[in-house]
Amino acid sequence: MEESLTKTLVFQLQSGDERLLSEAYHEARWVYNQTIQLAKDGMDWDDISPRLEDEADLVKNTTQRIVAKALDALQQSYDRDDYNTPSHEKTRPYPLRMNFTEGYNLSLKDDRIHYRISAKPYNPVKGTLRGAPDNLKLLEQALESDDWRVGTAEAMTRNGNHELHVNVTHLEATVQDKHDAQTVVGVDINEDCVALSALREDDIVDSMVIDYPEIKKERHRYFTMRKRMQHAGQTAFDRVFEDKEERYVHDQLHQLSRRIVEWVQQFESPLVVFEDLKHMRDSIDYGTQMNRRLHSLPFHKLRSFVAYKAAFEGIPSDEIDPAYTSQTCSFTGCEHTARSNRRKKRFKCNACGRQDHADRNAAVNIAKKGLEKLNRNVPALNTLPTVRKLRRQASGCVNQPTVTHATVRGHQADGRMGVSD
């Protein structure tokens, strides 16, 4: 079954009444908690919204949307046999969920997108949106084109900033159902490269590693310049350099994501599978310098670019549990898992002795988990094709692979299966 192409665009709210928005978030939290409490007390779900619409200090449409979201979360927990049941004692501010032209409105004027949020009855918050250039351009297109529909939005606070998350849907473009996929492409995103591996139920189809060391190098250069200016007391230039770095990385990731999707398109009915890294930051503590490098990596941005561009080609995406994908030998019959299997970019299994590019090995494991999640058979992998390693900025293979003969199954490096970096 095909699905409509929907994208969530994230913007920052400028020149708004922060006090009024904060009060509205807390009122939304009260509506959410009351909804969960009344449902648990046995009230008919159809009666909850009319009751809270009269009691809450929010516009009725916003109250309806918050109630619907709370009940949906409760229904999902019931479908999972009461696993992770929502609490009715939420303490943090809760997002304002609104319908376009009812709870919020957007308009184009003076080359800017202006917003109007009905935070409370007869007391709107007005201002302009700030965000990534491509997001602003797409939203402008959605507001002006009949091919797009602007849908629900959520106003929320994140990292001390007020944001507006807007859903836009292309009425013509559709995305294939992931359960109809014939080829699963595992994507392993790293600090200086991305590894791709395409698997079907019968065998591995192809694999590739795309290097982009220039992004890491340029980001470190900007970081060094900002630190020097801070030591010199010239903090006024911080934002200027931060904007330059953001624009550079943004452009590079767009080019990289385009290259990835072009590679994925060659396969029959592909599904792109990523690692679920939502809680990665909570578990990382490798010291000040390494924490800074890892916490600031644009993993989510690259993933969103790839998923979005793939969706425009009708290609769905999914995510899997990332546990041990980089430490497990991808060979069938071995699958030995140990942290010592990986040393930088080299993967050498302590059990079977196989060597591989560490990120390609991880991408194969991601693809295998993607097949398992679809309840498909995982192919028996006893050999892997030679890694093809590309530099993104070049038109060809300028960073030669360790093994230079033809990329075919069964070729080995120095008597070992696979290839070392």
Side-chain angles (χ1 to χ4, degrees), residues 140-415:
E140 181 178 343
Q141 181 181 357
L143 290 170
E144 295 182 324
S145 173
D146 293 335
D147 294 335
W148 288 86
R149 181 181 71 243
V150 180
T152 58
E154 287 191 344
M156 64 184 71
T157 178
R158 189 171 63 171
N159 299 326
N161 298 316
H162 293 280
E163 297 183 347
L164 186 68
H165 296 202
V166 184
N167 289 326
V168 294
T169 301
H170 196 288
L171 302 179
E172 300 295 332
T174 56
V175 182
Q176 294 292 327
D177 191 321
K178 63 183 180 181
H179 294 93
D180 295 332
Q182 301 297 316
T183 309
V184 174
V185 179
V187 181
D188 183 53
I189 301 174
N190 302 277
E191 186 178 18
D192 55 4
C193 73
V194 58
L196 308 167
S197 291
L199 267 66
R200 288 199 294 257
E201 287 187 279
D202 57 343
D203 208 349
I204 182 170
V205 184
D206 198 2
S207 63
M208 182 170 66
V209 176
I210 306 176
D211 282 334
Y212 47 90
E214 63 278 357
I215 297 180
K216 174 184 173 182
K217 179 180 178 180
E218 197 70 4
R219 293 175 69 249
H220 179 70
R221 187 174 73 88
Y222 277 113
F223 173 77
T224 302
M225 287 190 295
R226 291 201 306 271
K227 291 294 289 185
R228 288 175 178 172
M229 286 189 296
Q230 290 171 5
H231 286 309
Q234 298 177 352
T235 56
F237 292 96
D238 272 3
R239 184 62 190 174
V240 174
F241 278 91
E242 185 177 343
D243 287 342
K244 285 185 177 181
E245 177 188 358
E246 183 178 348
R247 288 195 298 270
Y248 172 81
V249 173
H250 186 85
D251 178 66
Q252 294 295 309
L253 293 183
H254 263 303
Q255 296 181 45
L256 174 61
S257 60
R258 193 175 303 117
R259 176 70 183 89
I260 292 172
V261 173
E262 288 174 355
W263 187 81
V264 171
Q265 283 183 269
Q266 66 181 302
F267 305 114
E268 179 184 3
S269 302
L271 167 68
V272 181
V273 179
F274 304 93
E275 293 178 301
D276 181 3
L277 300 176
K278 291 187 181 72
H279 304 294
M280 179 187 71
R281 297 175 188 270
D282 300 332
S283 59
I284 288 179
D285 188 9
Y286 299 141
T288 303
Q289 183 177 0
M290 184 58 71
N291 282 351
R292 175 188 64 80
R293 284 171 53 190
L294 294 179
H295 286 312
S296 62
L297 287 176
F299 290 122
H300 177 73
K301 178 172 285 190
L302 178 55
R303 169 181 166 166
S304 64
F305 285 179
V306 173
Y308 173 48
K309 288 179 171 61
F312 258 109
E313 303 298 334
I315 302 172
S317 58
D318 201 1
E319 61 185 19
I320 54 92
D321 182 356
Y324 308 113
T325 54
S326 64
Q327 302 176 17
T328 301
C329 178
S330 57
F331 268 15
T332 305
C334 179
E335 299 183 345
H336 174 68
T337 302
R339 180 177 294 180
S340 57
N341 281 347
R342 175 167 184 163
R343 185 173 180 82
K344 296 185 178 179
K345 292 298 183 182
R346 179 191 295 270
F347 183 92
K348 182 177 180 180
C349 180
N350 294 331
C352 70
R354 181 182 74 91
Q355 294 190 41
D356 198 356
H357 188 291
D359 300 322
R360 195 276 289 272
N361 180 78
V364 173
N365 285 326
I366 293 170
K368 289 170 65 176
K369 285 192 174 186
L371 283 170
E372 292 173 349
K373 189 174 180 180
L374 294 175
N375 296 319
R376 306 286 180 81
N377 295 323
V378 177
L381 301 178
N382 298 314
T383 60
L384 293 176
T386 301
V387 175
R388 289 189 298 130
K389 197 173 180 185
L390 306 180
R391 283 290 295 273
R392 186 199 55 76
Q393 285 188 321
S395 59
C397 206
V398 299
N399 206 11
Q400 291 296 331
T402 308
V403 178
T404 57
H405 51 61
T407 303
V408 294
R409 185 170 313 285
H411 282 235
Q412 300 178 359
D414 299 326

Side-chain angles (χ1 to χ4, degrees), residues 23-35 38 48-67 96 118-122:
E23 291 177 358
Y25 299 149
H26 286 84
E27 190 70 10
R29 179 186 66 191
W30 180 84
V31 171
Y32 180 93
N33 287 339
Q34 284 294 105
T35 300
L38 292 172
I48 295 177
S49 185
R51 171 174 169 174
L52 295 182
E53 288 169 26
D54 294 332
E55 297 180 2
D57 190 16
L58 296 170
V59 295
K60 289 189 176 182
N61 173 258
T62 299
T63 302
Q64 293 168 2
R65 299 268 51 83
I66 297 171
V67 170
L96 294 175
S118 300
K120 293 191 175 184
Y122 311 108

Side-chain angles (χ1 to χ4, degrees), residues 87-142:
S87 171
H88 60 276
E89 298 179 346
K90 189 178 291 291
T91 58
R92 295 184 177 181
Y94 195 74
L96 294 175
R97 191 172 179 84
M98 308 162 290
N99 281 347
F100 183 53
T101 71
E102 295 181 286
Y104 80 106
N105 211 336
L106 302 170
S107 59
L108 294 171
K109 184 179 180 181
D110 300 329
D111 296 326
R112 292 188 176 186
I113 300 179
H114 300 258
Y115 68 85
R116 183 182 188 276
I117 296 175
S118 300
K120 293 191 175 184
Y122 311 108
N123 206 352
V125 177
K126 300 178 181 180
T128 58
L129 295 181
R130 177 179 178 270
D134 58 322
N135 280 357
L136 290 167
K137 183 177 180 180
L138 182 55
L139 182 57
E140 181 178 343
Q141 181 181 357

